[in-house]
Amino acid sequence: MAYSDLRDFIAALEKHKELKRISFEVDPVLEITEFADRAVKNGGPALLFEKPKGSKVPVLINSFASRRRMELALEVDSVEKVARRISEYLELRMPEGLIGKLKMLPMLAEVGAFFPKTVSSGPCKEIIRRDNFSLDEYPILKCWPGDAGRFITLPMVFSKNPDTGKRNCGCYRLQVFDGRTTGMHWQTHKQGAEHHRRMRKEGKSRMDVAVAIGADPATMYSAILPLPPDLDEMMIAGFLRGKPVEMVKCETSDLEVPANAEIVLEGYLELGEQRREGPFGDHTGFYSLADDYPVFHLACITQRKHPIYATTIVGPPPMEDFYMGQAIERIFLPLMRLQLPEIRDIHMPAEGIFHNLILVSIRKSYPLHARKVMHAIWGLGQAMFSKVIVVVDEDVDVQNVSEVAWKALNNIDPERDIQFVLGPVDSLDHSSRLPNYGSKMGIDATRKWKEEGFTRPWPDVIRMSEDVKQRVAELWKKAGLPDAPP
Ligand SMILES: Cc1cc2nc3c(=O)[nH]c(=O)nc-3n(C[C@H](O)[C@H](O)[C@H](O)COP(=O)(O)O)c2cc1C
Ligand SMILES: [Mn+2]
């Protein structure tokens, strides 16, 4: 049963003992961060601050901040289930024969059933504030001591591609400049920034944007998914929750927002206007540098009578976004394998902040196969940001970072097996020589073949023989030694 909204999800978290209410006053300036940081790093629950200092609106944080909570958010007992559902759809795309095609019909009908639905009103319109409103009334966090101000950190930012009319929804932070203006931190590679560029080129003077805060978890989660341009996040959200997302038209523009949202900020950008944004304590664990970004002017706020403000913090890993990203790693594997079937598994360890380190295992079939896979990943959507890619053979478990380090470091002749390339890098990379311009490293840690010019013998990994292992398992017990898994 799909969650109807954020509160429905909160109730589920509470039922599963995954939520703690905090009924005394806590300051959204730094204090909530310290609570959330400690909680996520100690396996603590989601937190609902009922009395944030200076606001009547409660704050929800860490609602996705564990494997279990991601499963609850997506209503599965393991996120691999989502991956399997996607695989089933992909397999059914090209059925063989009449029976296959007939079998596909109900699936197709089901796909249609995921498309967002426009409705005439919804809870996000309980209060419409055209004149008398200010962001100061909301418990927006100042996350870290060196931050330039308060930041809305978990928004769903809606815009339209002016050429195709297609909607995009991305999660881009908004720095509060004053009660009615914020920054719009969509990085240059993201879809919102692309819409903005196109509108400027067409000589438009204004761009409508709508920002929804707090909704059912699948809808919120869809805003961070690295989807291809023009693929509607709301459709994917419908697929994830198994029920269409209901969308309602904005008061001041033609954009639509989820009807179940807690708070909606409607407004526009003056094209050409930019303002210094940041610094901001970012998910790299460092402060991202201040830079110029567009300015979002609020025209109207619509909201529930008693809204809940959903937010997150990022910072030294692992944080809530690690768990959101980990689910992406699992969910997108079947899609990646559609183009690169040789990939067995991928893993992005927390310390690599997603794009800094990707471990990939492949079934190697031809000389320099590992190089082909690296280049393909650098050409694949937001995986283009991958700073270091380590490719290993399929017998290496990439989920086990210590096994990868051990085998990869043994297997490489660095001069031969490491490749540097230039390419676009994540806007948050503070080490690149220019913003968005830098290099990447591919490490081919697979066994080298004679067809690759390697003529020496390649040794086997050391393993004890099975019969000895079994015999010693018995003798181990006999000796009264403490349990030790083989
Ligand atoms: C908590 C959180 C905050 C994020 N903040 C930003 C941001 O400020 N700017 C940005 O460009 N991407 C940010 N992202 C990443 C984007 O949401 C992500 O790249 C998404 O796929 C972009 O969607 P798009 O492809 O539709 O542009 C953030 C992700 C998370 C999980
Ligand atoms: Mn998108």
Side-chain angles (χ1 to χ4, degrees):
M1 264 275 283
Y3 296 112
S4 54
D5 53 20
L6 186 66
R7 309 137 192 256
D8 201 11
F9 179 43
I10 290 174
L13 289 173
E14 207 154 23
K15 193 178 122 204
H16 290 91
K17 305 209 170 3
E18 290 284 339
L19 180 107
K20 176 86 187 149
R21 288 175 186 269
I22 302 201
S23 53
F24 50 83
E25 188 178 87
V26 178
D27 200 336
V29 174
L30 307 182
E31 284 183 1
I32 289 186
T33 296
E34 184 59 21
F35 267 93
D37 190 20
R38 286 187 191 210
V40 74
K41 291 197 170 58
N42 293 289
L47 302 171
L48 185 65
F49 293 91
E50 295 178 326
K51 277 198 201 134
K53 190 174 174 186
S55 176
K56 293 201 180 74
V57 178
V59 176
L60 176 70
I61 196 162
N62 280 355
S63 56
F64 297 102
S66 72
R67 242 174 210 266
R68 180 72 189 120
R69 264 165 267 152
M70 273 312 308
E71 291 162 1
L72 287 171
L74 300 174
E75 296 176 90
V76 286
D77 43 32
S78 122
V79 288
E80 268 85 7
K81 274 247 171 80
V82 181
R84 231 169 298 139
R85 260 183 86 207
I86 294 175
S87 299
E88 281 168 19
Y89 272 96
L90 296 175
E91 274 160 29
L92 277 164
R93 241 176 30 163
M94 285 164 286
E96 274 174 32
L98 185 63
I99 305 269
K101 288 198 175 88
L102 285 175
K103 252 171 59 186
M104 200 175 133
L105 284 175
M107 278 285 207
L108 281 180
E110 213 190 311
V111 173
F114 299 142
F115 280 93
K117 242 200 228 153
T118 306
V119 294
S120 59
S121 189
C124 75
K125 303 278 192 188
E126 283 173 8
I127 298 181
I128 296 173
R129 314 176 70 186
R130 289 174 188 277
D131 306 306
N132 190 14
F133 66 84
S134 165
L135 288 173
D136 298 340
E137 293 167 30
Y138 300 88
I140 300 168
L141 307 194
K142 180 181 178 187
C143 301
W144 296 102
D147 284 3
R150 298 185 186 234
F151 286 81
I152 298 171
T153 51
L154 199 55
M156 292 161 266
V157 177
F158 289 88
S159 60
K160 248 187 204 168
N161 181 334
D163 299 329
T164 62
K166 293 271 167 69
R167 154 172 55 225
N168 190 69
C169 173
C171 173
Y172 319 119
R173 73 174 185 239
L174 311 169
Q175 179 183 345
V176 177
F177 292 140
D178 61 50
R180 292 186 176 209
T181 7
T182 78
M184 181 54 74
H185 187 264
W186 48 43
Q187 295 150 10
T188 191
H189 313 96
K190 307 298 170 75
Q191 286 313 299
E194 178 62 21
H195 296 176
H196 182 246
R197 253 189 311 271
R198 291 188 187 197
M199 293 199 90
R200 279 192 78 173
K201 214 167 176 188
E202 287 171 15
K204 299 267 180 5
S205 61
R206 275 190 174 192
M207 171 178 182
D208 292 328
V209 172
V211 175
I213 301 170
D216 67 277
T219 301
M220 287 170 70
Y221 186 63
S222 73
I224 73 157
L225 297 179
L227 302 179
D230 276 2
L231 180 56
D232 187 0
E233 279 80 5
M234 294 304 104
M235 207 270 275
I236 300 301
F239 173 85
L240 289 174
R241 68 201 288 261
K243 195 178 170 199
V245 181
E246 294 190 343
M247 303 294 289
V248 62
K249 205 174 88 59
C250 284
E251 299 301 306
T252 59
S253 72
D254 285 335
L255 294 168
E256 290 178 322
V257 288
N260 68 10
E262 297 290 318
I263 303 165
V264 177
L265 316 178
E266 298 186 12
Y268 57 89
L269 318 185
E270 301 271 13
L271 296 179
E273 185 187 14
Q274 288 204 315
R275 189 163 159 181
R276 204 108 269 239
E277 198 267 6
F280 173 69
D282 225 311
H283 80 143
T284 55
F286 292 84
Y287 286 100
S288 53
L289 305 174
D291 200 357
D292 291 337
Y293 275 90
V295 182
F296 178 50
H297 298 273
L298 273 66
C300 168
I301 293 184
T302 77
Q303 62 169 70
R304 290 169 180 256
K305 266 197 202 105
H306 302 289
I308 296 168
Y309 177 74
T311 192
T312 187
I313 52 152
V314 291
M319 284 290 195
E320 183 166 19
D321 65 316
F322 167 69
Y323 294 98
M324 300 169 93
Q326 194 178 51
I328 292 183
E329 177 192 293
R330 295 295 92 199
I331 294 170
F332 278 70
L333 183 59
L335 295 167
M336 221 168 180
R337 289 176 69 168
L338 197 65
Q339 295 209 37
L340 300 165
E342 61 268 58
I343 290 186
R344 312 312 295 168
D345 198 7
I346 56 166
H347 181 46
M348 296 179 274
E351 296 78 4
I353 326 292
F354 314 120
H355 55 273
N356 284 341
L357 182 60
I358 299 204
L359 312 176
V360 194
S361 56
I362 63 164
R363 175 171 293 170
K364 179 165 164 174
S365 302
Y366 43 79
L368 293 179
H369 198 158
R371 307 282 174 134
K372 177 258 194 174
V373 170
M374 291 170 200
H375 290 286
I377 291 173
W378 284 321
L380 207 62
Q382 289 186 42
M384 70 172 145
F385 301 131
S386 308
K387 181 139 92 173
V388 178
I389 301 178
V390 183
V391 186
V392 293
D393 286 307
E394 62 181 324
D395 59 347
V396 181
D397 175 11
V398 289
Q399 302 301 328
N400 181 344
V401 178
S402 114
E403 182 185 347
V404 174
W406 160 48
K407 289 185 176 165
L409 292 167
N410 270 293
N411 282 0
I412 55 167
D413 172 353
E415 192 192 39
R416 179 196 61 205
D417 293 330
I418 293 178
Q419 168 149 32
F420 298 107
V421 297
L422 283 178
V425 301
D426 191 287
S427 301
L428 301 182
D429 190 314
H430 58 242
S431 70
S432 61
R433 61 209 81 182
L434 291 170
N436 306 311
Y437 179 109
S439 69
K440 295 108 191 292
M441 177 166 77
I443 302 178
D444 175 358
T446 59
R447 247 174 238 114
K448 298 304 161 325
W449 293 5
K450 71 176 182 323
E451 295 87 340
E452 294 175 317
F454 188 83
T455 51
R456 299 173 61 205
W458 194 277
D460 289 331
V461 168
I462 300 167
R463 278 194 193 91
M464 183 45 71
S465 46
E466 267 315 306
D467 53 335
V468 174
K469 284 177 85 141
Q470 269 177 24
R471 182 162 157 67
V472 170
E474 283 156 27
L475 295 177
W476 186 272
K477 269 196 213 127
K478 189 172 163 192
L481 287 161
D483 275 354

